[in-house]
């Protein structure tokens, strides 16, 4: 997790932002906590993306799709602000290193570790296609 800088919000719709988990083309992902103490990964969309005509409709469909694709190997969406000035959604936060961080720290993962990822990952395309959702993020 990275420390927040001047560009990062300190709060979003009742969630306190604790640190930055990552950034992609659409926005930044933060570790955040609600007033009840629940930790979430909060995806906050870049302003320029939110201003693109049709983006909010596509983002709404993405949030709806992620909510339909549930089960083993997926992380549920627990809250969203699709119509907020800066669209966002929050999913359960699962603490731990990314696969890249694990490889960087420990070297190539043993075969038995990789096989532990296979069952939930192999079920995702089926669950996704039955929900009529296609995503390069899965």
């Amino acid at each position: 997790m990275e420390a927040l800088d001047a560009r990062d919000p300190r709060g979003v719709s009742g969630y306190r932002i604790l640190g930055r988990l990552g950034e992609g083309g659409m926005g930044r992902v933060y570790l955040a906590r609600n007033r009840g103490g629940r930790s979430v990964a909060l995806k906050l969309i870049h302003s320029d993306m939110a201003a693109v005509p049709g983006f909010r409709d596509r983002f709404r469909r993405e949030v709806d799709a992620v909510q339909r694709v549930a089960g083993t190997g997926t992380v549920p969406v627990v809250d969203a602000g699709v119509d907020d000035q800066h669209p966002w959604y929050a999913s359960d936060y699962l603490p731990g290193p990314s696969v890249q961080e694990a490889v960087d720290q420990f070297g190539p993962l043993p075969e038995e570790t990789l096989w532990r990822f296979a069952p939930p990952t192999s079920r995702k395309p089926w669950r996704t296609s039955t929900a009529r959702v296609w995503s390069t993020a899965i």
Side-chain angles (χ1 to χ4, degrees), residues 10-94:
R10 298 311 188 253
V12 172
S13 294
Y15 289 89
R16 186 169 53 100
I17 304 296
L18 304 174
R20 189 175 338 106
L21 297 172
E23 183 170 8
M26 285 180 50
R28 288 184 167 194
V29 179
Y30 298 98
L31 174 59
R33 190 163 293 137
N34 71 9
R35 291 180 185 105
R38 183 180 198 166
S39 294
V40 299
L42 191 143
K43 180 178 184 178
L44 184 65
I45 302 304
H46 292 307
S47 298
D48 57 337
M49 289 295 298
V52 171
F55 174 81
R56 286 179 188 271
D57 290 334
R58 289 190 306 274
F59 186 65
R60 180 177 284 102
R61 286 192 303 271
E62 175 184 339
V63 171
D64 290 345
V66 172
Q67 289 173 324
R68 285 194 318 267
V69 180
T72 304
T74 65
V75 181
V77 169
V78 297
D79 201 359
V82 176
D83 295 313
D84 288 7
Q85 180 180 0
H86 299 282
W88 61 275
Y89 73 80
S91 57
D92 277 339
Y93 173 68
L94 304 175

